[in-house]
Coordinates of all heavy atoms in Angstrom, one line a residue:
Q648 N 99.5 104.0 77.1 CA 99.9 102.6 76.8 C 100.3 101.9 78.2 O 100.0 100.7 78.4 CB 101.1 102.6 75.9 CG 100.8 102.9 74.5 CD 102.0 103.1 73.6 OE1 103.1 102.7 73.9 NE2 101.8 103.7 72.4
G649 N 100.9 102.7 79.1 CA 101.3 102.2 80.4 C 100.0 101.8 81.2 O 100.0 100.7 81.9
V650 N 99.0 102.6 81.1 CA 97.7 102.2 81.8 C 97.2 100.9 81.2 O 96.8 100.0 81.9 CB 96.7 103.4 81.6 CG1 95.3 102.9 82.0 CG2 97.1 104.6 82.5
D651 N 97.2 100.8 79.9 CA 96.7 99.6 79.2 C 97.4 98.4 79.7 O 96.8 97.3 79.9 CB 96.7 99.7 77.7 CG 95.7 100.7 77.2 OD1 94.7 101.1 77.9 OD2 95.8 101.2 76.0
K652 N 98.7 98.5 79.7 CA 99.6 97.3 80.1 C 99.3 97.0 81.6 O 99.3 95.8 82.0 CB 101.0 97.6 79.8 CG 101.3 97.6 78.4 CD 102.8 98.0 78.1 CE 103.0 98.1 76.6 NZ 104.4 98.6 76.3
L653 N 99.2 98.0 82.5 CA 98.9 97.7 83.8 C 97.5 97.1 84.0 O 97.3 96.2 84.8 CB 99.0 99.0 84.7 CG 100.4 99.3 85.2 CD1 100.4 100.7 85.9 CD2 101.0 98.3 86.1
L654 N 96.5 97.5 83.2 CA 95.2 96.9 83.2 C 95.3 95.4 82.8 O 94.6 94.6 83.4 CB 94.2 97.7 82.4 CG 93.8 99.0 82.9 CD1 93.0 99.8 81.8 CD2 92.9 98.8 84.1
A655 N 96.1 95.2 81.8 CA 96.2 93.8 81.4 C 96.9 92.9 82.5 O 96.4 91.8 82.7 CB 97.1 93.7 80.1
L656 N 97.8 93.5 83.2 CA 98.5 92.8 84.3 C 97.5 92.5 85.4 O 97.4 91.4 86.0 CB 99.7 93.6 84.8 CG 100.5 93.0 85.9 CD1 101.0 91.6 85.6 CD2 101.6 93.9 86.3
I657 N 96.7 93.5 85.7 CA 95.7 93.4 86.8 C 94.7 92.3 86.4 O 94.3 91.4 87.2 CB 95.0 94.7 87.1 CG1 96.0 95.6 87.8 CG2 93.8 94.5 87.9 CD1 95.6 97.1 87.9
T658 N 94.2 92.4 85.2 CA 93.2 91.4 84.7 C 93.8 90.0 84.8 O 93.1 89.1 85.2 CB 92.8 91.7 83.2 OG1 92.2 93.0 83.2 CG2 91.8 90.7 82.7
R659 N 95.0 89.8 84.4 CA 95.7 88.5 84.5 C 95.7 88.0 85.9 O 95.4 86.8 86.2 CB 97.1 88.5 83.9 CG 97.9 87.3 84.1 CD 97.3 86.1 83.3 NE 98.0 84.9 83.6 CZ 97.4 83.8 84.1 NH1 96.2 83.7 84.3 NH2 98.2 82.7 84.4
Q660 N 96.0 88.8 86.9 CA 96.1 88.4 88.3 C 94.7 88.2 88.9 O 94.5 87.3 89.7 CB 96.8 89.5 89.1 CG 98.2 89.8 88.6 CD 99.0 88.6 88.1 OE1 99.1 87.5 88.8 NE2 99.6 88.7 87.0
L661 N 93.7 88.9 88.4 CA 92.3 88.7 88.8 C 91.9 87.3 88.3 O 91.2 86.5 89.0 CB 91.4 89.7 88.2 CG 91.5 91.1 88.9 CD1 90.7 92.2 88.0 CD2 90.9 91.1 90.3
Q662 N 92.2 87.0 87.1 CA 91.9 85.7 86.5 C 92.6 84.5 87.2 O 91.9 83.5 87.6 CB 92.3 85.6 85.0 CG 91.4 86.5 84.1 CD 92.0 86.7 82.7 OE1 93.1 86.4 82.4 NE2 91.1 87.2 81.8
R663 N 93.8 84.7 87.5 CA 94.6 83.7 88.3 C 93.9 83.5 89.7 O 93.8 82.3 90.1 CB 96.0 84.1 88.6 CG 96.9 84.0 87.4 CD 98.4 84.4 87.7 NE 98.9 83.5 88.8 CZ 99.9 83.8 89.6 NH1 100.5 85.0 89.5 NH2 100.3 83.0 90.5
S664 N 93.4 84.5 90.3 CA 92.8 84.4 91.6 C 91.4 84.0 91.6 O 90.8 83.9 92.6 CB 92.9 85.8 92.3 OG 94.3 86.1 92.6
K665 N 90.8 83.8 90.4 CA 89.5 83.4 90.2 C 88.5 84.3 90.9 O 87.5 83.8 91.5 CB 89.3 81.9 90.6 CG 90.1 81.0 89.7 CD 90.0 79.5 90.2 CE 90.7 78.6 89.3 NZ 92.0 78.9 88.8
V666 N 88.7 85.6 90.7 CA 87.7 86.6 91.2 C 87.2 87.4 90.0 O 87.5 87.1 88.9 CB 88.4 87.5 92.3 CG1 88.8 86.7 93.5 CG2 89.6 88.2 91.7
K667 N 86.4 88.4 90.3 CA 85.9 89.2 89.2 C 87.0 89.7 88.3 O 88.0 90.2 88.8 CB 85.1 90.4 89.7 CG 83.8 90.2 90.4 CD 83.2 91.5 90.7 CE 82.6 91.5 92.1 NZ 82.1 92.8 92.5
D668 N 86.9 89.4 87.0 CA 87.9 89.8 86.1 C 87.4 90.5 84.9 O 88.0 90.4 83.8 CB 88.8 88.5 85.7 CG 88.0 87.6 84.8 OD1 86.8 87.7 84.6 OD2 88.6 86.6 84.4
D669 N 86.4 91.3 85.0 CA 85.9 92.1 83.9 C 86.6 93.4 83.8 O 87.4 93.8 84.7 CB 84.3 92.3 84.0 CG 83.9 92.9 85.3 OD1 84.8 93.5 86.0 OD2 82.7 92.9 85.6
A670 N 86.4 94.1 82.7 CA 87.1 95.4 82.5 C 86.7 96.4 83.6 O 87.6 97.2 84.0 CB 86.7 96.0 81.1
T671 N 85.5 96.4 84.0 CA 85.0 97.4 85.1 C 85.8 97.2 86.4 O 86.3 98.1 87.0 CB 83.5 97.2 85.4 OG1 82.8 97.5 84.2 CG2 83.1 98.2 86.4
T672 N 86.0 95.9 86.7 CA 86.8 95.6 87.9 C 88.2 96.0 87.8 O 88.8 96.6 88.7 CB 86.7 94.1 88.2 OG1 85.3 93.7 88.4 CG2 87.4 93.7 89.5
A673 N 88.8 95.7 86.7 CA 90.2 96.1 86.5 C 90.4 97.6 86.5 O 91.4 98.1 87.1 CB 90.7 95.5 85.1
H674 N 89.5 98.3 85.9 CA 89.6 99.8 85.9 C 89.4 100.3 87.4 O 90.1 101.2 87.8 CB 88.5 100.4 85.0 CG 88.8 100.3 83.6 ND1 87.8 99.9 82.7 CD2 89.8 100.6 82.8 CE1 88.3 99.9 81.5 NE2 89.5 100.3 81.6
G675 N 88.5 99.7 88.1 CA 88.3 100.1 89.5 C 89.5 99.8 90.3 O 89.9 100.6 91.2
V676 N 90.1 98.6 90.1 CA 91.3 98.3 90.9 C 92.4 99.2 90.7 O 93.0 99.8 91.6 CB 91.7 96.8 90.6 CG1 93.1 96.5 91.2 CG2 90.7 95.8 91.2
L677 N 92.7 99.5 89.4 CA 93.8 100.4 89.1 C 93.6 101.8 89.6 O 94.5 102.4 90.2 CB 94.1 100.4 87.6 CG 95.2 101.3 87.1 CD1 96.5 100.9 87.8 CD2 95.4 101.3 85.6
S678 N 92.4 102.3 89.4 CA 92.1 103.6 89.9 C 92.2 103.7 91.4 O 92.7 104.7 91.9 CB 90.6 104.0 89.4 OG 90.5 104.0 88.0
T679 N 91.7 102.7 92.1 CA 91.8 102.7 93.5 C 93.2 102.6 94.0 O 93.6 103.3 95.0 CB 90.9 101.6 94.1 OG1 89.6 101.7 93.6 CG2 90.8 101.7 95.6
L680 N 94.0 101.8 93.4 CA 95.4 101.6 93.8 C 96.1 103.0 93.6 O 96.9 103.4 94.5 CB 96.1 100.6 92.9 CG 95.7 99.1 93.1 CD1 96.4 98.2 92.1 CD2 95.9 98.6 94.5
I681 N 95.9 103.6 92.5 CA 96.6 104.9 92.2 C 96.1 105.9 93.3 O 97.0 106.7 93.9 CB 96.4 105.4 90.8 CG1 97.1 104.5 89.8 CG2 96.8 106.9 90.6 CD1 96.7 104.7 88.4
G682 N 94.8 106.0 93.5 CA 94.3 107.0 94.5 C 94.8 106.7 95.9 O 95.2 107.6 96.6
G683 N 94.8 105.5 96.3 CA 95.3 105.1 97.6 C 96.8 105.5 97.8 O 97.2 106.0 98.8
L684 N 97.6 105.2 96.7 CA 99.0 105.5 96.8 C 99.2 107.0 96.9 O 100.0 107.5 97.8 CB 99.7 104.9 95.6 CG 101.3 105.1 95.6 CD1 101.9 104.3 96.8 CD2 101.8 104.7 94.3

Side-chain angles (χ1 to χ4, degrees):
Q648 290 173 11
V650 167
D651 289 343
K652 290 175 183 176
L653 277 175
L654 286 168
L656 178 60
I657 289 167
T658 299
R659 173 69 185 117
Q660 304 320 314
L661 289 167
Q662 290 168 346
R663 282 183 62 205
S664 296
K665 295 180 179 35
V666 295
K667 288 188 222 173
D668 66 355
D669 57 15
T671 301
T672 302
H674 286 130
V676 168
L677 181 57
S678 299
T679 305
L680 293 177
I681 292 168
L684 185 64

